[in-house]
Amino acid sequence: MFQRRRSAVALRHVAFEDLGLLAPIMEREGWNVSFCEAPVDDLSHPSIGDADLLIVLGGPIGVYETDSYPFITREIDLLERRLAQGLPTLGICLGAQLMAKALGARVHAGNVKEIGWGSLTLSDTGRASCLTPLAEGTPVLHWHGDTFDLPDHAARLASNENYENQAFEFGNNALALQFHLEADPRQLEEWYVGHAVELASARISVPELRARTAEYSKIVARQADRIFTSWLNQLAHKDAVSRTAQAR
Protein backbone atom coordinates (compact mmCIF):
# COMPACT_ATOMS: atom_id res chain seq x y z
CA MET A 1 0.00 0.00 0.00
CA PHE A 2 1.34 3.44 -0.96
CA GLN A 3 2.17 5.61 2.03
CA ARG A 4 2.06 9.36 1.55
CA ARG A 5 5.34 11.13 2.26
CA ARG A 6 4.66 13.96 4.65
CA SER A 7 6.00 17.50 4.34
CA ALA A 8 8.27 19.17 6.86
CA VAL A 9 9.72 22.66 6.83
CA ALA A 10 12.83 23.51 8.86
CA LEU A 11 13.26 27.16 9.80
CA ARG A 12 16.99 27.86 9.84
CA HIS A 13 18.67 30.93 11.37
CA VAL A 14 22.33 30.24 10.53
CA ALA A 15 23.53 27.78 7.90
CA PHE A 16 25.61 25.55 10.15
CA GLU A 17 22.84 24.92 12.70
CA ASP A 18 20.78 22.59 10.53
CA LEU A 19 19.01 19.26 11.00
CA GLY A 20 22.23 17.34 11.57
CA LEU A 21 21.47 13.83 12.84
CA LEU A 22 17.75 14.41 12.34
CA ALA A 23 18.01 14.68 8.52
CA PRO A 24 18.63 10.98 7.71
CA ILE A 25 16.08 9.92 10.32
CA MET A 26 13.38 12.00 8.66
CA GLU A 27 14.29 10.67 5.23
CA ARG A 28 14.04 7.11 6.50
CA GLU A 29 10.72 7.77 8.25
CA GLY A 30 9.08 9.14 5.10
CA TRP A 31 9.35 12.92 5.38
CA ASN A 32 10.13 15.38 2.60
CA VAL A 33 12.04 18.26 4.19
CA SER A 34 12.53 21.74 2.79
CA PHE A 35 14.43 24.58 4.40
CA CYS A 36 13.29 28.14 5.02
CA GLU A 37 15.86 30.80 5.89
CA ALA A 38 14.04 32.57 8.70
CA PRO A 39 15.76 35.98 8.44
CA VAL A 40 14.98 36.52 4.75
CA ASP A 41 12.20 34.20 3.52
CA ASP A 42 8.47 34.90 3.51
CA LEU A 43 7.24 33.21 6.70
CA SER A 44 3.61 33.79 5.71
CA HIS A 45 3.83 31.42 2.75
CA PRO A 46 1.20 28.64 3.04
CA SER A 47 3.80 25.94 2.42
CA ILE A 48 5.27 26.82 5.82
CA GLY A 49 2.15 27.38 7.85
CA ASP A 50 0.40 24.33 6.40
CA ALA A 51 3.35 21.91 6.51
CA ASP A 52 2.70 18.59 8.21
CA LEU A 53 5.60 19.42 10.55
CA LEU A 54 7.43 22.65 11.35
CA ILE A 55 10.92 22.44 12.86
CA VAL A 56 12.41 25.64 14.28
CA LEU A 57 16.17 25.35 14.67
CA GLY A 58 18.72 27.12 16.84
CA GLY A 59 20.63 30.36 16.41
CA PRO A 60 22.82 32.88 18.24
CA ILE A 61 20.18 35.55 18.90
CA GLY A 62 17.60 36.16 21.62
CA VAL A 63 13.83 35.98 21.30
CA TYR A 64 13.63 39.44 22.91
CA GLU A 65 15.88 41.08 20.26
CA THR A 66 13.01 42.01 17.97
CA ASP A 67 14.25 45.58 17.42
CA SER A 68 17.47 44.25 15.89
CA TYR A 69 15.86 41.24 14.21
CA PRO A 70 12.23 42.05 13.26
CA PHE A 71 11.70 38.65 11.61
CA ILE A 72 11.52 37.16 15.11
CA THR A 73 8.07 38.69 15.49
CA ARG A 74 6.93 36.94 12.31
CA GLU A 75 8.27 33.63 13.62
CA ILE A 76 6.37 34.05 16.87
CA ASP A 77 3.17 34.84 14.95
CA LEU A 78 3.66 31.72 12.83
CA LEU A 79 4.18 29.58 15.92
CA GLU A 80 1.17 31.08 17.67
CA ARG A 81 -1.06 30.02 14.78
CA ARG A 82 0.37 26.49 14.52
CA LEU A 83 0.31 25.81 18.23
CA ALA A 84 -3.26 27.12 18.56
CA GLN A 85 -4.27 24.66 15.82
CA GLY A 86 -2.41 21.75 17.38
CA LEU A 87 -0.19 21.31 14.33
CA PRO A 88 3.01 19.26 14.77
CA THR A 89 5.87 21.52 15.80
CA LEU A 90 9.41 20.87 17.02
CA GLY A 91 11.58 23.61 18.52
CA ILE A 92 15.29 23.24 19.22
CA CYS A 93 17.20 25.72 21.43
CA LEU A 94 16.17 29.11 19.98
CA GLY A 95 13.22 27.26 18.46
CA ALA A 96 12.15 26.07 21.92
CA GLN A 97 12.44 29.62 23.27
CA LEU A 98 10.32 30.93 20.39
CA MET A 99 7.69 28.28 21.14
CA ALA A 100 7.63 29.32 24.79
CA LYS A 101 7.21 32.97 23.80
CA ALA A 102 4.44 32.09 21.33
CA LEU A 103 2.64 30.34 24.19
CA GLY A 104 2.82 33.45 26.36
CA ALA A 105 5.80 32.56 28.55
CA ARG A 106 8.69 34.83 29.48
CA VAL A 107 12.02 34.29 27.69
CA HIS A 108 15.05 35.91 29.27
CA ALA A 109 18.80 35.78 29.78
CA GLY A 110 19.85 33.01 32.14
CA ASN A 111 22.26 33.10 35.06
CA VAL A 112 24.68 30.63 33.49
CA LYS A 113 25.82 30.17 29.91
CA GLU A 114 25.62 26.45 29.19
CA ILE A 115 28.00 25.26 26.48
CA GLY A 116 29.10 21.64 26.51
CA TRP A 117 27.94 18.13 27.27
CA GLY A 118 25.82 17.26 30.28
CA SER A 119 23.04 14.99 31.49
CA LEU A 120 19.45 15.85 32.34
CA THR A 121 16.88 14.84 34.93
CA LEU A 122 13.54 13.77 33.46
CA SER A 123 10.21 14.53 35.08
CA ASP A 124 7.64 11.76 35.46
CA THR A 125 6.07 13.00 32.23
CA GLY A 126 9.48 13.07 30.57
CA ARG A 127 10.20 9.46 31.53
CA ALA A 128 6.94 8.45 29.83
CA SER A 129 7.75 10.48 26.69
CA CYS A 130 10.01 10.02 23.69
CA LEU A 131 12.85 11.35 25.88
CA THR A 132 12.93 8.10 27.89
CA PRO A 133 16.48 7.24 26.66
CA LEU A 134 17.81 10.31 28.50
CA ALA A 135 16.90 8.67 31.81
CA GLU A 136 19.92 6.45 31.25
CA GLY A 137 22.14 9.47 31.99
CA THR A 138 23.60 9.83 28.52
CA PRO A 139 24.73 13.39 27.75
CA VAL A 140 23.22 16.02 25.49
CA LEU A 141 24.82 19.10 23.98
CA HIS A 142 23.93 22.39 25.66
CA TRP A 143 24.62 25.65 23.82
CA HIS A 144 22.57 28.53 25.21
CA GLY A 145 22.59 31.51 27.53
CA ASP A 146 18.84 32.24 27.55
CA THR A 147 16.03 30.36 29.22
CA PHE A 148 12.23 30.49 29.51
CA ASP A 149 9.41 30.03 31.96
CA LEU A 150 7.21 26.99 31.50
CA PRO A 151 4.18 28.00 29.39
CA ASP A 152 0.70 27.53 30.80
CA HIS A 153 -0.74 24.09 30.01
CA ALA A 154 2.68 22.79 28.96
CA ALA A 155 4.29 19.77 30.63
CA ARG A 156 7.89 19.98 31.77
CA LEU A 157 9.92 17.01 30.49
CA ALA A 158 13.50 17.70 31.60
CA SER A 159 15.63 19.88 33.89
CA ASN A 160 19.21 20.12 35.12
CA GLU A 161 21.09 21.84 37.94
CA ASN A 162 21.23 25.13 36.04
CA TYR A 163 17.80 25.39 34.43
CA GLU A 164 14.44 24.06 35.52
CA ASN A 165 13.02 24.10 32.01
CA GLN A 166 15.09 22.14 29.51
CA ALA A 167 12.24 20.55 27.55
CA PHE A 168 8.46 20.66 27.42
CA GLU A 169 5.56 19.31 25.45
CA PHE A 170 2.39 21.18 24.61
CA GLY A 171 -0.74 19.35 23.58
CA ASN A 172 -0.30 16.20 21.54
CA ASN A 173 2.01 17.40 18.78
CA ALA A 174 4.44 20.05 20.06
CA LEU A 175 7.89 19.33 21.51
CA ALA A 176 10.41 21.95 22.67
CA LEU A 177 14.04 21.03 23.41
CA GLN A 178 16.45 23.59 24.89
CA PHE A 179 19.39 21.28 24.10
CA HIS A 180 20.76 19.88 20.85
CA LEU A 181 19.91 16.22 20.26
CA GLU A 182 20.23 16.87 16.54
CA ALA A 183 23.83 18.12 16.60
CA ASP A 184 26.03 15.87 14.46
CA PRO A 185 29.46 15.53 16.14
CA ARG A 186 31.10 15.50 12.70
CA GLN A 187 29.62 18.92 11.89
CA LEU A 188 30.42 20.63 15.18
CA GLU A 189 33.69 21.91 13.72
CA GLU A 190 31.50 24.44 11.90
CA TRP A 191 29.93 25.47 15.20
CA TYR A 192 33.36 26.04 16.76
CA VAL A 193 34.13 28.50 13.96
CA GLY A 194 30.69 30.09 13.72
CA HIS A 195 30.50 30.63 17.49
CA ALA A 196 34.18 31.50 17.96
CA VAL A 197 33.48 34.85 19.63
CA GLU A 198 30.91 33.35 22.01
CA LEU A 199 33.24 30.50 22.93
CA ALA A 200 36.11 32.87 23.62
CA SER A 201 33.89 35.17 25.69
CA ALA A 202 32.66 32.20 27.75
CA ARG A 203 36.24 30.92 28.09
CA ILE A 204 35.32 27.57 26.62
CA SER A 205 38.29 25.51 25.44
CA VAL A 206 37.62 24.30 21.92
CA PRO A 207 40.15 21.43 22.21
CA GLU A 208 38.44 20.24 25.42
CA LEU A 209 34.97 20.54 23.86
CA ARG A 210 36.21 18.67 20.80
CA ALA A 211 37.59 15.87 23.00
CA ARG A 212 34.31 15.52 24.89
CA THR A 213 32.44 15.45 21.59
CA ALA A 214 34.65 12.63 20.30
CA GLU A 215 34.04 10.71 23.52
CA TYR A 216 30.27 10.83 23.11
CA SER A 217 29.95 10.74 19.31
CA LYS A 218 28.62 7.19 18.93
CA ILE A 219 26.36 7.41 21.95
CA VAL A 220 24.59 10.60 20.88
CA ALA A 221 23.92 9.32 17.35
CA ARG A 222 22.09 6.27 18.73
CA GLN A 223 20.30 8.44 21.26
CA ALA A 224 19.07 10.88 18.62
CA ASP A 225 17.84 8.00 16.49
CA ARG A 226 15.84 6.47 19.34
CA ILE A 227 14.27 9.72 20.48
CA PHE A 228 13.43 11.33 17.15
CA THR A 229 12.21 8.06 15.62
CA SER A 230 9.90 7.56 18.58
CA TRP A 231 8.50 11.09 18.34
CA LEU A 232 8.01 10.95 14.56
CA ASN A 233 6.27 7.59 14.89
CA GLN A 234 3.95 9.08 17.49
CA LEU A 235 3.05 11.85 15.03
CA ALA A 236 2.41 9.29 12.28
CA HIS A 237 0.17 7.24 14.56
CA LYS A 238 -1.85 10.27 15.65
CA ASP A 239 -2.19 11.35 12.02
CA ALA A 240 -3.43 7.91 10.99
CA VAL A 241 -5.97 7.84 13.83
CA SER A 242 -7.19 11.31 12.87
CA ARG A 243 -7.56 10.38 9.19
CA THR A 244 -9.44 7.22 10.09
CA ALA A 245 -11.82 9.18 12.29
CA GLN A 246 -12.43 11.74 9.54
CA ALA A 247 -13.20 9.00 7.02
CA ARG A 248 -15.98 7.52 9.13
Side-chain angles (χ1 to χ4, degrees):
M1 180 179 178
F2 174 76
Q3 185 174 2
R4 181 182 71 95
R5 288 185 67 87
R6 290 152 288 174
S7 66
V9 173
L11 294 191
R12 186 164 49 190
H13 302 92
V14 288
F16 58 85
E17 291 198 37
D18 60 12
L19 289 176
L21 295 170
L22 181 52
I25 297 169
M26 297 197 67
E27 172 64 26
R28 185 191 67 212
E29 297 300 315
W31 292 84
N32 291 329
V33 182
S34 58
F35 283 89
C36 170
E37 307 305 330
V40 295
D41 287 346
D42 179 8
L43 301 185
S44 66
H45 196 279
S47 64
I48 301 172
D50 298 338
D52 294 321
L53 171 62
L54 179 68
I55 304 169
V56 187
L57 297 168
I61 58 177
V63 169
Y64 42 80
E65 295 183 274
T66 52
D67 287 344
S68 297
Y69 308 104
F71 72 89
I72 293 173
T73 301
R74 296 190 289 274
E75 278 192 276
I76 294 169
D77 290 344
L78 170 62
L79 285 166
E80 283 181 351
R81 292 193 297 273
R82 282 192 67 92
L83 294 169
Q85 297 174 56
L87 297 175
T89 306
L90 172 64
I92 296 173
C93 201
L94 174 59
Q97 296 162 11
L98 287 162
M99 287 175 64
K101 179 66 175 178
L103 291 168
R106 182 175 67 113
V107 180
H108 55 96
N111 295 324
V112 177
K113 184 176 284 290
E114 283 192 316
I115 300 178
W117 297 90
S119 60
L120 297 168
T121 299
L122 298 186
S123 66
D124 290 343
T125 304
R127 284 191 289 272
S129 74
C130 64
L131 298 184
T132 298
L134 297 180
E136 301 169 4
T138 47
V140 298
L141 180 65
H142 299 279
W143 205 304
H144 70 104
D146 289 349
T147 188
F148 50 82
D149 296 342
L150 185 68
D152 291 342
H153 310 298
R156 180 182 296 112
L157 302 181
S159 306
N160 69 359
E161 66 275 12
N162 293 320
Y163 292 107
E164 185 176 30
N165 299 312
Q166 289 280 4
F168 69 83
E169 62 182 11
F170 181 80
N172 294 321
N173 295 318
L175 176 65
L177 307 174
Q178 177 64 83
F179 43 91
H180 290 277
L181 287 176
E182 87 295 351
D184 187 338
R186 297 168 298 181
Q187 296 175 336
L188 283 180
E189 290 296 332
E190 297 179 62
W191 293 43
Y192 306 151
V193 176
H195 293 304
V197 173
E198 181 182 29
L199 289 168
S201 176
R203 298 187 177 182
I204 301 294
S205 166
V206 173
E208 290 180 9
L209 183 54
R210 181 181 291 118
R212 292 288 303 279
T213 299
E215 179 183 352
Y216 297 130
S217 60
K218 292 183 180 179
I219 297 173
V220 299
R222 291 195 298 269
Q223 179 173 269
D225 195 300
R226 292 171 65 187
I227 291 172
F228 285 129
T229 298
S230 174
W231 190 68
L232 291 171
N233 285 340
Q234 290 172 25
L235 291 184
H237 175 72
K238 292 168 186 173
D239 182 60
V241 170
S242 175
R243 290 177 182 276
T244 300
Q246 292 173 5
R248 289 177 178 172

